[in-house]
Amino acid sequence: MSQILTKDDVLKVAKLARIEISSQELEDYLKELSEIIEYVKQLEKVDTSNLKPTNQVTGLSNVYRNDQVLDYGYTPGDLLDSLNKIEDSYVKVKRVIE
Amino acid sequence: MWPSLKDLAKDLRNGQVKSVDLVNKTFQLIEDNKEYKTIISVQKDSALKKAQAIDEALKSGHKLGRLAGIPFIAKDNFLTIEGYTTAASNVLKNFRAPYQATAINLLEEEGAICVAKSNMDAFAHGSSTENSDFFTTSNPFDQERVPGGSSGGSSASVALNIAPFSIGTDTGGSIRQPASFCGIVGYKPTYGLVSRSGVIAMASSTDTIGSLTKSVSDGILIMDIISGQDKLDSTTLDSQYKVDSKRITKVKKARIGIIKEYLDYGLDDSVRKGLDLTIQKLKDQGFLLEPVSISSLPLALAVYYVLCPAEVSSNLSRYDGLRYGYSDDQSKDLEDSYFKNRTNGFGKEAKRRIMIGTYVLSSGYYEAYYKKAQLVRTKIINDFKEVFSKYDFLIGPTVPTVAFKKNSKNSPLEMYLNDIMTVAANLAGLPAISLPVLMNDNLPVGIQLIANQKKDNELLSLALEVEEILKS
């Protein structure tokens, strides 16, 4: 059966999403993702002329608030305390360049 | 069995029962029901401390909130200050939240006590809890079957009478479907009625927060407490639309459309029986019920499984392990750490959805899939608008089947198809409720009622009536 996606497609999206996949996983995902994409492809045939895309369902737009600091009972320090690695309130990460 | 929330609150106020005893009883019940695997973590010390404080305050005659001293269980995707918040994912296995979900805060302000966090499909991706990175919950009526999902741990806990109520999230049916499988009441409000602040995001344009209870009136009380505008979530609706117990009225007349497209789908005999029975009983009471066609509804699942993974891929991009969550110390540089943290942290279903989402959003496919799905979403919304100009409510099954056996779905798509009757309400932002109708071969059957946006008080009024009629 010809798959709707190719192995290259799956490897490409995995890389874009920063996920490594083994060769066995590649086979599985190729089959599963193809099946799902095949199913959603039915939308292709639907006539949607004169329609606008929906991003938000309840009709709210441009919700403003006053530009002022509010106290929610926690400090920036509390939030930083929940992080993996911090140094002087900076997030510490692995080396970026050689 | 727990009394109704109102009676329980009254017993506490009158000093007939003590909160400490209720909280201890809940922990004992969690222990007694361990084999069902409904709970991920408990908050024993903090819960008992809070219960003691409430008992003392009640004893000295202080006026306390509407749920003062009542224990509850939260799905593990609600951030809580106490204990851990994992979303049943290895990524957040040891995560302690620095702040708390608005819904939890509102319940605590009324004196409710969070005692435990319940199992779910990891990041709420699923319909069975089989996608939990930790373990699968069992259905209270048959341990070989699933409780539904993703709020499966919450639903099973309430059905097993472990706690008087639970709260969950519904992005494509994750409250209603497990409620149907476990024989309890599951309420999904209008989009934006309850703040999403402090709830781990799945698909932001359809994520909603609701109640899992033994009765409609308990659900009304919980929704009354947790709904309303919140400064921390700019998509919340004006509080004039919130659930308000005082606005729950007796419904004598209503025009109810029976969703035709759902009848044509291969329904279990028991589900058809449950629906037919409800329709007949409602007709006997003078309600107008007739079949109505919503021709775009069969497209809802395809729309959902483009938009939901797209939003998932975006929302889950934050789990790179740099700031919080699973982090692999062995990675050699920043780029490598992204790969290692995400590859080892995410489970299979999360990866699947991230990849589908990334695909439908990627250059060259965006128009064909993502944009097209947004357009068909508009079509579905328009169809609902038209139907609600003629009918006050819609009725249909919640799920085409009763609870299915564990490991019985052969592919991810087969699992997704289970959501076929719940996703439409999410895409259109509509309120919907699943009510238990009958037991068939010792398995519960549920039906679903849907209303127009912002008609939550009307829908809950009708649900109260339907619950009463079904008892007769």
Side-chain angles (χ1 to χ4, degrees):
Chain A
M1 192 186 97
S2 77
Q3 304 275 24
I4 197 159
L5 300 180
T6 64
K7 282 186 180 177
D8 281 346
D9 288 332
V10 177
L11 289 170
K12 190 185 158 197
V13 289
K15 195 177 169 211
L16 284 171
R18 300 295 185 267
I19 291 167
E20 278 165 13
I21 46 179
S22 67
S23 54
Q24 179 55 50
E25 283 176 319
L26 178 60
E27 296 293 335
D28 293 348
Y29 284 131
L30 178 64
K31 192 167 155 275
E32 293 163 0
L33 302 192
S34 291
E35 199 186 10
I36 294 159
I37 295 294
E38 180 75 49
Y39 178 79
V40 303
K41 241 181 158 24
Q42 60 177 293
L43 298 177
E44 246 174 25
K45 295 182 230 105
V46 184
D47 179 13
T48 51
S49 46
N50 303 320
L51 292 176
K52 288 200 174 94
T54 295
N55 288 301
Q56 209 282 341
V57 284
T58 54
L60 290 177
S61 70
N62 296 338
V63 179
Y64 297 109
R65 61 171 175 79
N66 292 332
D67 185 19
Q68 70 188 79
V69 177
L70 297 173
D71 181 12
Y72 288 105
Y74 47 83
T75 64
D78 294 336
L79 301 182
L80 285 169
D81 280 346
S82 70
L83 302 185
N84 290 338
K85 273 185 187 146
I86 48 168
E87 206 172 293
D88 301 334
S89 64
Y90 288 99
V91 175
K92 199 173 171 187
V93 301
K94 291 277 173 181
R95 191 181 62 214
V96 181
I97 41 172
E98 288 291 325
Chain B
M1 279 290 280
W2 295 86
S4 74
L5 293 177
K6 271 179 195 146
D7 287 344
L8 201 52
K10 203 161 68 186
D11 291 347
L12 279 153
R13 271 198 305 275
N14 295 340
Q16 277 166 292
V17 286
K18 283 198 168 10
S19 178
V20 168
D21 295 335
L22 295 185
V23 168
N24 274 325
K25 175 181 160 185
T26 309
F27 287 125
Q28 186 57 50
L29 287 165
I30 289 173
E31 200 54 42
D32 294 347
N33 290 285
K34 242 188 161 122
E35 57 189 313
Y36 294 93
K37 298 183 180 172
T38 65
I39 302 298
I40 291 178
S41 64
V42 292
Q43 305 181 351
K44 211 159 189 172
D45 295 347
S46 61
L48 280 168
K49 216 187 246 171
K50 285 174 196 164
Q52 273 158 7
I54 285 173
D55 281 336
E56 267 164 46
L58 284 170
K59 214 165 123 190
S60 46
H62 288 289
K63 197 170 152 33
L64 295 177
R66 285 175 281 176
L67 298 175
I70 298 179
F72 74 97
I73 291 170
K75 187 178 180 178
D76 208 15
N77 56 353
F78 286 86
L79 302 192
T80 50
I81 289 285
E82 302 296 343
Y84 294 90
T85 301
T86 70
S89 161
N90 280 327
V91 175
L92 296 173
K93 199 173 182 177
N94 301 309
F95 180 65
R96 300 186 84 108
Y99 67 102
Q100 192 153 271
T102 297
I104 302 281
N105 283 334
L106 290 169
L107 289 167
E108 286 188 347
E109 275 168 32
E110 294 286 348
I113 300 168
C114 182
V115 291
K117 307 289 285 292
S118 59
N119 194 32
M120 55 189 280
D121 292 288
F123 290 112
H125 303 159
S127 318
S128 68
T129 71
E130 290 169 294
N131 291 333
S132 166
D133 286 349
F134 308 148
F135 43 77
T136 300
T137 300
S138 298
N139 189 293
F141 296 90
D142 178 353
Q143 295 211 47
E144 283 177 19
R145 291 172 192 267
V146 302
S150 61
S151 311
S154 288
S155 290
S157 296
V158 172
L160 289 163
N161 294 308
I162 292 174
F165 76 95
S166 184
I167 53 170
T169 56
D170 189 316
T171 304
S174 282
I175 285 176
R176 290 162 287 155
Q177 187 256 18
S180 176
F181 280 8
C182 293
I184 62 166
V185 178
Y187 190 69
K188 173 230 175 283
T190 296
Y191 178 80
L193 205 75
V194 179
S195 171
R196 291 179 294 115
S197 176
V199 179
I200 294 173
M202 176 183 169
S204 304
S205 85
T206 61
D207 281 347
T208 56
I209 287 131
S211 58
L212 296 137
T213 56
K214 271 298 184 63
S215 70
V216 176
S217 60
D218 281 355
I220 291 168
L221 180 56
I222 300 307
M223 294 311 299
D224 182 333
I225 290 166
I226 65 175
S227 63
Q229 199 166 24
D230 180 20
K231 278 185 282 205
L232 292 173
D233 177 1
S234 59
T235 61
T236 45
L237 296 169
D238 190 290
S239 289
Q240 64 168 306
Y241 302 113
K242 79 180 285 294
V243 172
D244 182 348
S245 306
K246 292 193 269 313
R247 285 175 59 198
I248 303 299
T249 51
K250 185 134 181 81
V251 184
K252 290 190 193 73
K253 269 197 257 174
R255 300 163 299 170
I256 304 171
I258 307 161
I259 304 171
K260 231 175 120 192
E261 282 69 19
Y262 291 168
L263 301 177
D264 300 338
Y265 194 85
L267 295 180
D268 272 7
D269 286 344
S270 56
V271 174
R272 191 172 289 275
K273 202 165 97 186
L275 184 64
D276 287 347
L277 177 84
T278 314
I279 291 169
Q280 194 50 52
K281 284 193 168 185
L282 281 167
K283 280 183 178 168
D284 292 346
Q285 294 295 317
F287 287 92
L288 174 87
L289 285 103
E290 54 192 27
V292 54
S293 175
I294 309 173
S295 63
S296 61
L297 273 198
L299 300 166
L301 196 77
V303 172
Y304 181 79
Y305 277 101
V306 173
L307 299 183
C308 164
E311 294 184 34
V312 162
S313 75
S314 168
N315 274 327
L316 265 51
S317 65
R318 74 189 64 167
Y319 301 107
D320 55 13
L322 300 190
R323 287 147 298 168
Y324 56 89
Y326 175 83
S327 181
D328 187 309
D329 272 344
Q330 305 307 311
S331 45
K332 55 183 195 294
D333 57 24
L334 184 72
E335 184 70 7
D336 188 38
S337 73
Y338 291 140
F339 277 101
K340 285 218 164 61
N341 295 344
R342 291 169 65 80
T343 303
N344 300 331
F346 286 126
K348 261 204 156 81
E349 181 61 17
K351 286 179 187 168
R352 214 173 269 136
R353 294 199 189 197
I354 289 170
M355 287 199 279
I356 298 166
T358 306
Y359 180 75
V360 299
L361 287 172
S362 63
S363 160
Y365 299 104
Y366 173 86
E367 295 272 336
Y369 294 106
Y370 185 71
K371 181 92 177 292
K372 187 70 185 181
Q374 285 186 306
L375 289 164
V376 182
R377 185 178 191 179
T378 307
K379 199 180 176 72
I380 293 166
I381 291 169
N382 289 347
D383 281 2
F384 270 120
K385 272 185 191 153
E386 205 192 311
V387 166
F388 282 121
S389 70
K390 299 188 193 93
Y391 298 91
D392 306 303
F393 304 101
L394 295 170
I395 191 171
T398 310
V399 199
T401 65
V402 291
F404 49 85
K405 290 237 166 90
K406 290 175 187 169
N407 302 313
S408 67
K409 299 289 179 192
N410 296 316
S411 75
L413 182 64
E414 209 182 307
M415 183 69 85
Y416 296 173
L417 287 167
N418 206 254
D419 301 340
I420 197 141
M421 291 164 188
T422 46
V423 293
N426 297 81
L427 291 176
L430 309 174
I433 188 168
S434 180
L435 296 174
V437 180
L438 51 80
M439 295 293 291
N440 193 74
D441 287 336
N442 197 37
L443 288 174
V445 173
I447 56 116
Q448 179 176 217
L449 299 166
I450 306 174
N452 206 353
Q453 264 188 20
K454 300 165 192 168
K455 299 283 183 196
D456 294 74
N457 285 302
E458 289 79 353
L459 178 60
L460 286 164
S461 298
L462 176 77
L464 205 55
E465 193 69 28
V466 174
E467 184 184 51
E468 197 57 44
I469 291 168
L470 286 171
K471 271 186 212 151
S472 64

